[in-house]
Structures are given as C-alpha cells and as structure tokens.
Amino acid sequence: MEKEHYFDWAATSPADEDILRESLEESLECWGNPSSTHAVGKKARELFENARARAAAALGVKPECVYFTSGGTESDQIPLLSVLSKPMKGTVLVSSIEHPAIREQSEALKNCGWNVVQIPADDDGVIKPQAVVQLLTGDTVLVCIMAVNNETGVIQPIYEIADAITKACEGKRRPKFHVDCVQAAGKINLNLGYKGIDSAALSSHKICGPRGIGILYMKDACEPFLRGGGQEKGIRSGTENVFGAVAFSKCLERYYNKAAPSDIDRTNSFVKKLAALPGCTIVPPSRLEKSELFSPYVVQAAFKNIPGNVMLRALDSKGFSISTGSACSAKKNKRPVLEAMHVAPDLRENSVRFSFGPHTTDKGVEELLAAVTEVNSQFNK
C-alpha cells in the first residue's frame, strides 16, 4: 500500500528487489577489486565489464562510451568540470531550468573566471533551438540542456538543439553538447548516439536501481579535472562499484525506453481531473493542450490558498508521498525552474509535484486524486 501511494518517483524510485538481490549475490561471488591483477580481481573485472557491455547494449551505444560514476550529479559534473582543464577560459551555456547538479556547479565556474550564460526558457519551460544559437559565441565550449525537466516534465527538443548547434558552427569549432537524461531514461525514448549529443548523464535510482551508481555516456573522452587512480580510463577515478554497475545494467535492460501508452492516457486523465478542481492551476497551463510535450511521469500543479508544503504534509498524513520540487532543493524553499518560466510568485509557492513510475497503478492514482480533492475542498469551496 505504501508503494501504491508513492508519487515521488522523480526523487527516487522503489527498488526492483529481484534485480538488487540477484546483483548482490553475483557481486558477493566476485568480491575482489576490479583493478587488481590477480585471479580474484580479474573475476570481479569480468563481471564489471560484462555489466558495461549490457548497459551499452541497452542504451544502444558502444561499451567504450559508457563510464560508471557515483550517480547523476557526478555524471553531469564531469563534462562541466572538464572545461577547467582547458588553457583558456571561455563561455559555457546552461539552460535556466537545469537541475542543481548543473545549475549550482556552473555558478562555481564563474568563480574560476568562466563566462556562464543562462539560456532562457519560454513560458512553457521549453528551451528553443534558436534561443541556444543566439547565445553561441566563438569561445563557447559547452552547452548543457536537460532532456526532461525534473519539476514540470517538459520534454526538451534535444535533437533539434543538437542539429541547430552543428549547423550554426559549420566550418568552425563546435562546442560540446551535454544532456542530463536522469528524468528521461526509462520514461521517454532516447537516442544517446544521436550525432550531435556528446555526453549524457543517467542515474540508477531513478529507474528502480540502487543509489550511488550512475552512467556518463561520452562519445569522445574529455580531459578530466579530477584525477586519481585512473579507473574508468581516467575519466572517473575511484574503486569501481561492481554491485551497482551490475544492478544498473539489469535495470536498463528491464526499464530503459519502456514508456507505455497506458501511462500516457492515465496521466492525461489525471491532469484533466486536477485542472477541474476549484483553484487548481496546472503548471504550465499549456500542458492541457500540449500533452505530447510533457513526460507522462511528472506533473506540476498549484492549488489556490494551499502552500505547497501544506499540501505535501496533508497528503503525507493520509499516506501519500509527493514533493514540492527537486529533492536536491527541498530544503532551500526556492523554485528557480518555475521562476525561469515566469510563473507568478503565488503559484510558485503553492506548486507541488506528482511523479509516477512503471509500478504506478490506476487504483493508486484514483485514490491520490480523491485525497487531493478532499484536501483542496477544505481551502477552496
């Protein structure tokens, strides 16, 4: 019942217990350090590299382009921090709706003398290709844009943006294009091997895997800023997480690119019923007419007279788990993504996020709607 009433999948997903148990058993049999050259280490290395091959096959990319990391944040930050190894400072373009993993780290680049420019989003939260092209300069070395926004579910036109960057830089040096796919993997169809995408970040615990393991897809190796023992071809030093890699590869095989039409229909129905409640505003409102531009797994809504934290606590007391936005920003009480979309201050304060996953049931969503309706009726007659 607890999992059936869990609607914070964008923060973390319930683990696939079968996969985790099976992966743990395999890693317990291969308990050596994969970098050791003795038989025990080689056994662990074989299991680890098999996980890489399986993950690459699921992602549709070459194994040599898959690097295991500690999670989505590190996978986002490796390409971002790699610019610090360049001899000359330049410009980095970052969308105004990025996750804190990119947004906060890019701010740190400013302290190192880099010119960090925000790419504006429109009122729907979409980064248009032309908005990116207009900001490209001769010293732009990196562009960062997420595939699916973690608060509103907006699907970004990453392939069109990749093409626009390539076309604008024809005959000139082209900046690298990094895509945060943490909320996209397992939720929408992805083509990481697309010609204009240079790197992408994925996180295991968003698709029923364990915490503490992620993947950085990188078409061509970068010059790492952080160095150490040289694991992962020097891109990500540190003793390899064999259990995590095995489990993540199996979760990718089971859940990657698995968005179901029934999930889309269920969410669209949920959104329409929410919008019919007195005082409810879907954020952005255009979702009601442009549902195809949004992931069916993330919904943002604001309720008149009900601050987001109040709605969260009210539903929590009834056994329903939701959030007011990114778990990584939950304690800051700020909504920079909604602010970038020009959402009014009162709507920002009252907004909450409902997020779903492959194990969400129709019954659970119906009961969530009933609970939201009951709370809302206490404040909006």
Side-chain angles (χ1 to χ4, degrees):
M1 201 61 182
E2 184 180 24
K3 289 183 179 179
E4 193 169 38
H5 288 169
Y6 182 75
F7 299 99
D8 198 17
W9 283 72
T12 196
S13 61
D16 187 309
E17 296 178 11
D18 292 339
I19 286 180
L20 265 63
R21 288 194 183 98
E22 183 179 78
S23 301
L24 181 59
E25 289 178 3
E26 291 181 38
S27 62
L28 287 174
E29 292 179 6
C30 303
W31 46 267
N33 188 321
S35 295
S36 298
T37 57
H38 45 60
V40 174
K42 288 179 180 178
K43 188 177 180 181
R45 171 57 61 183
E46 182 179 0
L47 181 61
F48 186 71
E49 292 304 329
N50 180 57
R52 191 193 311 278
R54 294 175 69 169
L59 296 172
V61 300
K62 297 177 181 179
E64 56 266 30
C65 296
V66 172
Y67 300 86
F68 287 108
T69 68
S70 65
T73 293
E74 187 177 28
S75 295
D76 274 331
Q77 293 183 350
I78 288 174
L80 195 61
L81 290 174
S82 72
V83 304
L84 295 176
S85 64
K86 296 184 180 298
M88 300 289 290
K89 295 180 177 64
T91 298
V92 173
L93 303 184
V94 175
S95 91
S96 58
I97 57 167
E98 291 300 297
H99 185 275
I102 291 285
R103 185 176 65 245
E104 298 297 330
Q105 190 61 62
S106 66
E107 287 295 313
L109 290 183
K110 289 183 180 181
N111 298 331
C112 298
W114 281 79
N115 181 34
V116 177
V117 179
Q118 277 201 353
I119 309 166
D122 65 15
D123 290 350
D124 292 333
V126 176
I127 303 295
K128 297 291 181 61
Q130 191 56 33
V132 179
V133 170
Q134 289 176 347
L135 294 175
L136 290 174
T137 57
D139 69 346
T140 302
V141 298
L142 180 66
V143 178
C144 298
I145 299 172
M146 67 194 333
V148 172
N149 185 261
N150 57 302
E151 294 194 28
T152 64
V154 176
I155 301 172
Q156 300 301 331
I158 56 174
Y159 308 114
E160 291 86 344
I161 291 171
D163 289 342
I165 293 172
T166 299
K167 183 178 180 180
C169 297
E170 192 171 358
K172 299 178 288 186
R173 183 185 55 78
R174 177 183 170 280
K176 298 289 187 180
F177 180 35
H178 175 73
V179 183
D180 180 336
C181 293
V182 168
Q183 293 296 341
K187 308 295 178 62
I188 65 170
N189 290 332
L190 283 172
N191 179 11
L192 296 187
Y194 195 78
K195 58 185 177 181
I197 295 177
D198 297 289
S199 59
L202 300 97
S203 177
S204 168
H205 77 102
K206 305 296 186 180
I207 57 168
C208 303
R211 299 178 181 88
I213 185 76
I215 283 177
L216 169 62
Y217 161 76
M218 199 178 306
K219 187 176 295 182
D220 299 304
C222 68
E223 186 70 24
F225 175 68
L226 298 177
R227 301 168 187 267
Q231 292 90 341
E232 295 299 271
K233 293 187 288 188
I235 297 298
R236 197 275 174 180
S237 293
T239 302
E240 300 92 337
N241 180 353
V242 177
F243 158 70
V246 172
F248 195 5
S249 68
K250 293 181 179 182
C251 285
L252 288 171
E253 289 175 334
R254 183 168 294 181
Y255 297 106
Y256 188 69
N257 283 351
K258 299 293 184 181
S262 59
D263 293 344
I264 297 173
D265 293 340
R266 181 174 58 211
T267 299
N268 289 344
S269 174
F270 174 71
V271 169
K272 290 177 182 177
K273 290 175 181 177
L274 273 186
L277 295 178
C280 178
T281 301
I282 303 300
V283 181
S286 61
R287 179 169 192 146
L288 292 165
E289 289 80 37
K290 304 176 183 178
S291 61
E292 71 280 1
L293 298 181
F294 296 82
S295 162
Y297 299 97
V298 180
V299 174
Q300 186 87 198
F303 298 86
K304 186 178 179 181
N305 303 322
I306 313 176
N309 286 327
V310 173
M311 176 63 82
L312 185 156
R313 290 195 296 271
L315 290 179
D316 191 33
S317 69
K318 297 176 180 294
F320 295 86
S321 302
I322 67 165
S323 70
T324 55
S326 168
C328 298
S329 300
K331 296 180 180 179
K332 297 181 180 180
N333 295 320
K334 293 183 179 180
R335 305 301 298 272
V337 169
L338 302 187
E339 188 173 353
M341 294 167 56
H342 313 110
V343 175
D346 59 328
L347 290 181
R348 294 203 301 265
E349 182 183 355
N350 293 1
S351 285
V352 294
R353 179 182 70 184
F354 306 97
S355 53
F356 316 98
H359 300 157
T360 299
T361 66
D362 291 344
K363 179 174 177 288
V365 173
E366 290 174 3
E367 291 173 345
L368 169 66
L369 183 63
V372 172
T373 301
E374 183 179 349
V375 174
N376 186 66
S377 67
Q378 298 173 14
F379 294 85
N380 297 290
K381 302 296 184 182

